[in-house]
Amino acid sequence: MRASAAGSGPLRDNLPLIFPAAMLIAFFIVPFATMISVSLFERAQGGFYEPSLTLEHYQRFFTLFFGRILAFSLGLSALVAALCIAIGVPFTRALTRLPRRQQVPWLVALLAVLSLSEVIIGFAWSTLLSRTAGISNLFVFLGLTETPTAYSPGFVAVLLGMTYQAFPYAVLVLYPAFSRLDPSLAESAQTMGATPTRAFLTVVLPALRPAIVATFILIFVFALGSYLLPQLLGRPQHWTLSVFITDQAIYQSNMPFAAAMAVFLVITSIALVSLTAAIGRGRGVAQ
């Protein structure tokens, strides 16, 4: 009886992990393995594909076609992440210095933005940047321009829409780090003669470097997987890798190449998220 009870102990302790493990296998490992196998298939005429073991579709990663798509997707994601950091860091700094009662409405507003779907955000920005009912009419009214101009579809529209969507995530990730920051750091620097701006740049930002780097990576991964906004606000030359995956799978009937690009995107995202986790662990050890 004692041996049986002792033997059932580890099994009983691992029971809570069975359901999450089953979900991980069913909804990630199995689909990902299927996607890898399809990426090795050979494309046949008529939009079909046959089981094979070819690396032809991965070899297309070294072509100019894929290089342009990848360069634009990575550059756009990095620019969105940089804008979110550039705006989010001073915004979060100012937010955490407000009284707690005044912080709540701002946090509620950020959560309200997160509740909006990409479709709503895309159509709202397309209207705001349109020629007929957009912000360019305000510029004409103020005398800044002579005629209304349509900014959508275009690169600026895609950049603004994706930054608007990702900005609340940046603030919510940075908020705990700024809340835990010791205010005496900046005060000590100012006591020694540093201006508030210099104290912020030389004392506060270095202390929050791990949180800022982790936020940049998370926003980069989030923007890298953006799908609807580049389609709604941009032209085909502004499409990201996620859009081209769908285009190859559905409209070009090239499922193996779409699967190969999806495998690349998933591996890249996992690597960046792992890097973020490593930064978080290093920060925890340092503390």
Side-chain angles (χ1 to χ4, degrees):
M1 293 293 293
R2 292 181 179 178
S4 176
S8 63
L11 179 61
R12 185 172 59 251
D13 295 338
N14 293 326
L15 281 177
L17 300 177
I18 293 178
F19 181 75
M23 294 297 100
L24 179 64
I25 294 173
F27 295 105
F28 179 76
I29 296 180
V30 172
F32 188 59
T34 304
M35 191 164 54
I36 293 176
S37 63
V38 172
S39 69
L40 300 176
F41 285 3
E42 184 176 359
R43 188 185 184 189
Q45 293 183 354
F48 300 99
Y49 49 94
E50 301 173 350
S52 178
L53 290 176
T54 178
L55 297 177
E56 173 188 357
H57 308 291
Y58 289 97
Q59 292 173 356
R60 294 186 64 181
F61 290 174
F62 302 98
T63 62
L64 184 61
F65 168 77
F66 184 80
R68 288 177 177 175
I69 298 173
L70 180 61
F72 178 79
S73 298
L74 296 178
L76 178 62
S77 301
L79 187 56
V80 170
L83 285 176
C84 288
I85 293 296
I87 303 173
V89 167
F91 177 85
T92 310
R93 169 70 170 170
L95 179 63
T96 54
R97 300 183 70 176
L98 293 175
R100 183 69 64 177
R101 183 174 298 178
Q102 297 181 20
Q103 293 181 23
V104 173
W106 288 100
L107 294 175
V108 171
L110 291 173
L111 293 175
V113 174
L114 294 180
S115 66
L116 300 176
S117 67
E118 278 193 274
V119 177
I120 296 176
I121 295 175
F123 279 110
W125 276 99
S126 64
T127 302
L128 183 64
L129 300 176
S130 65
R131 181 179 180 180
T132 55
I135 195 173
S136 62
N137 294 274
L138 178 61
F139 295 158
V140 174
F141 177 77
L142 296 176
L144 301 177
T145 57
E146 295 182 358
T147 58
T149 304
Y151 300 105
S152 176
F155 176 76
V156 174
V158 175
L159 181 62
L160 290 176
M162 293 178 61
T163 303
Y164 174 83
Q165 184 188 25
F167 178 74
Y169 293 99
V171 175
L172 294 178
V173 173
L174 290 170
Y175 181 82
F178 274 95
S179 298
R180 294 192 299 264
L181 183 66
D182 188 357
S184 62
L185 292 176
E187 295 174 358
S188 299
Q190 294 179 32
T191 302
M192 298 178 66
T195 62
T197 302
R198 185 176 179 83
F200 179 76
L201 295 176
T202 60
V203 177
V204 176
L205 285 185
L208 297 172
R209 186 180 294 115
I212 294 175
V213 172
T215 303
F216 180 91
I217 295 175
L218 290 175
I219 298 301
F220 181 88
V221 173
F222 177 79
L224 190 62
S226 182
Y227 170 70
L228 283 177
L229 290 182
Q231 279 190 307
L232 295 175
L233 300 176
R235 297 185 174 93
Q237 60 265 33
H238 306 132
W239 287 357
T240 58
L241 185 60
S242 300
V243 181
F244 275 99
I245 291 174
T246 304
D247 178 72
Q248 289 293 319
I250 298 178
Y251 301 107
Q252 304 300 327
S253 299
N254 194 351
M255 186 66 72
F257 183 47
M261 289 193 293
V263 169
F264 175 84
L265 182 61
V266 171
I267 292 177
T268 302
S269 301
I270 292 176
L272 292 174
V273 171
S274 300
L275 179 60
T276 305
I279 293 174
R281 288 194 298 268
R283 183 185 177 192
V285 172
Q287 291 178 348

